Amino acid sequence: MRLLKAILLSTILITILVFPIEKNALTQPISGVVLVGRGMIVPSSGVALLSSNAEDGTEYTVRVFDPEIGEAILERNATGSFRGRVMLKHSGPYYFSIRTMTPVTMAVRIINRYPSVTVLNIRYGLGGVSALLLAAILLMEGRKK
Amino acid sequence: MKIQMKWELEDPYNLIVFMFGFIMLGITFFSGLTRNDVVFMVSGPDEIIVSESAKTLGLTLPRLGTEEYTIFALTGALLVSLMMRYDRDTRVAKSVYSLPVRNYSVVLSKALSAMVLLFLASLLPAFLAFVYIHGDIPDLIGRALFGEGFLAGYLIYWAMMVLYVVSVSALVAMLSPNTFASLLGSITLLYAPLVLKLRSLPPAVINEAFFKAYTTQFYPADRVVTFLDGSFYTGLLLPVVMLGVALILSEWRDVS
């Protein structure tokens, strides 16, 4: 029983400590350069700013693919330069790619990073359930004596 | 033996060490995952991208880098030294070992309960930190753990690490004169491969075998086999031999 209590108490403490650690990490933007295709594992949701410059008249397709739902969340034909933004609704992998005949470089910058609602629900849920369980166990033990 | 294990698992001192390891490892895993900027390069149809991203996600499951290994080794050494040496120092052991059980069985149950505690103190926070970051992509996590065969390899990975740390500490605890010497000795021995950059001893050899197995092989069964093949001698055989030596020593050595 003590082992279970130790696990529950540690889970609660980790859940509380996770927030200040994450707050510090989320202020830094993530950036990367895409040549043909590049997958990135983003540790939070956020907004991705895409920008690419090519010679006038160069046609290419910019595509952002979300492996979780299995669909492209942005697919845009562009000529010359391109600016765009796309919401990354969940954390995890995303795949940025450019389809083109001539090489085009695209810069990706992820800003406004925040934990998604699902992740927050999981944290509050797990932390809360462990706190309630621990309280219940302590209460039962207190009543026995 | 079962009763002995229950004693050890409920011992407040052991549980304080357990909580130290659990919380510290959880925080370290979590901050390791937040500064993660893992990228993967692949091209092809969408199915290939999906499977590649599940694989890359599986490779970001928290493993033991330098920081994490420090806490892990410290927790393991503290646990084993407390269990095996502290009761001998305080003369409590005389009443325990005078029970009608063989010495080696008492020591084995202590080692097993140390393994259980250390395993729980590393696996639970690892999954907790992972879910606290990537909890909103259940499909990909399921695909990585089951479809790509990461769950089996990951459990084996932690089992090997735990086995290595506990057996090194157990051997040192059986050889050393008191708790302090046992703690210092086991931390030194566990830390030496890291400081001397020995690639042929754990943790490096287990880490490399895991990484190699999951990046070069394609089918889950092949991956697990390759992982075991790459880490068998130093990850399984050496610890088991060391644990055996510790058990034999416990039979020879007087309790005090």
Side-chain angles (χ1 to χ4, degrees), chain B residues 5 28 31 34 74 79 87 112 122 135 194 197 201 204 231 240 246-247 250:
Chain B
M5 272 188 78
T28 323
S31 63
T34 53
L74 194 63
L79 265 179
D87 60 346
L112 284 180
S122 47
L194 210 66
K197 300 213 168 23
L201 277 176
S231 56
V240 168
L247 291 182
S250 76

Side-chain angles (χ1 to χ4, degrees), chain A residues 62-81:
Chain A
V62 176
R63 187 161 185 267
V64 180
F65 177 70
D66 179 352
E68 169 72 7
I69 53 174
E71 286 170 15
I73 48 175
L74 178 97
E75 195 154 17
R76 198 75 60 78
N77 294 321
T79 334
S81 66

